[in-house]
Every structure is written in C-alpha cells, then in structure tokens.
Amino acid sequence: MQLRPVPFNHADVQHLVADVQAYYVSIYGGPDDSPIIEGEFEPPRGAFVLATDATGPVAMGGWRHRPDLLELFDAPVAEIKRMYVSPRARRRGVSRLVLGDLERTAHEAGAQLLVLETGIVQEDAIALYESSGYERTLDFGHYADSDLSRCYAKRL
C-alpha cells in the first residue's frame, strides 16, 4: 500500500470522488453537496492523500483548515473531508492508514482539533472514528441541521 499527497483535482482522486458520490446517492438519495473551494486542500490551507495498491487507487482523504470554527471550538481546527475507501480495499486497515496520515499532517500544520461530519447510515465510518478517539461534538458545517449527520472531534 502506498500513500502519497496529491492535489484534489488529480484524476485518480476524482474517480474515487465519483465512486463515493454514487455511494451517497444509493444510501441517501443524493450526492454530498457540501461545498469544496478550489485550493483548500493544498498546503498550507490543507492536504489531500491518495492510497494505491497493485490494483490502483483504493482510498483518499483530506483535511482543510477551518479558521471560521476557532471561536466555536476554542482551538485551531482542521476538518476531515472526502475520506473514502473503495469496497475492494476495505477490512485491510487502509482507513486507519489514511486517517493517521491526516491526523499527523494536520497536527504538523498547527491544528489542535480535528472535526468531521459523517452520516448515520455509515456505521463502519462511525466505528472507525469512535475507535480512533473521536467523540460526538457540536453540530457544525453544511449538514449541521440534518438528522442524518453526526459530527465528531478529536484533540490532537
């Protein structure tokens, strides 16, 4: 398994984004329409990583600084976005590899708190985050008012 930083607009990332959006349509009836601003996953504002194995791209994830959340959480905040593992690579520890890299690089970039939103239908994602030390937190972001969303945070 190889993990490397890539731009969000990288072709392999966009292929995985299309896969995860199709998944969201199948479980929620529509894609994730939370806004992504060009350049927000590029240093120093953020980072994005791609995991590949012998079959090609299998996972991705990114983080972006969220200075707008500083007062809400009383700490420098980064938000995890577009974390996804292809079904063919699940149950192999890839999600923990990606999450660990995101936590490390966000901390190195000055984040003291990582936050994320995930859906209640995504039980495997919830189990990953809770077993990695994330706890339910204040609702924030694009889906703050959605009953289908859960927000989590972890101090770094």
Side-chain angles (χ1 to χ4, degrees):
M1 189 67 56
Q2 180 186 9
L3 190 63
R4 68 183 196 279
V6 295
F8 181 71
N9 64 0
H10 187 282
D12 288 339
V13 168
Q14 291 307 303
H15 179 75
L16 289 174
V17 167
D19 289 352
V20 73
Q21 292 289 25
Y23 173 67
Y24 292 149
V25 169
S26 75
I27 62 173
Y28 295 111
D32 177 354
D33 62 358
S34 58
I36 300 292
I37 300 168
E38 186 175 340
E40 69 184 343
F41 293 117
E42 296 174 10
R45 295 170 51 193
F48 208 88
V49 295
L50 178 69
T52 56
D53 67 9
T55 68
V58 295
M60 65 178 180
W63 62 265
R64 59 187 179 183
H65 280 294
R66 290 292 306 267
D68 58 309
L69 297 178
L70 178 64
E71 286 187 34
L72 182 63
F73 290 104
D74 195 33
V77 177
E79 179 186 16
I80 292 176
K81 291 297 290 180
R82 297 297 189 260
M83 177 105 172
Y84 175 70
V85 178
S86 173
R88 72 179 190 275
R90 292 182 184 160
R91 305 278 181 230
R92 294 176 25 203
V94 180
S95 60
R96 290 191 189 281
L97 178 71
V98 172
L99 184 60
D101 187 77
L102 297 176
E103 291 175 348
R104 179 185 59 78
T105 58
H107 182 66
E108 289 172 356
Q112 294 177 8
L113 184 76
L114 269 177
V115 297
L116 61 92
E117 295 175 286
T118 193
I120 61 170
V121 178
Q122 296 164 259
E123 295 175 1
D124 288 346
I126 291 171
L128 166 70
Y129 297 130
E130 289 180 349
S131 69
S132 298
Y134 289 78
E135 297 177 347
R136 286 291 308 274
T137 192
L138 302 168
D139 291 336
F140 72 93
H142 188 71
Y143 295 105
D145 296 326
S146 172
D147 291 336
L148 299 176
S149 177
R150 295 293 178 264
C151 295
Y152 287 86
K154 179 179 179 178
R155 294 238 173 239
L156 300 175

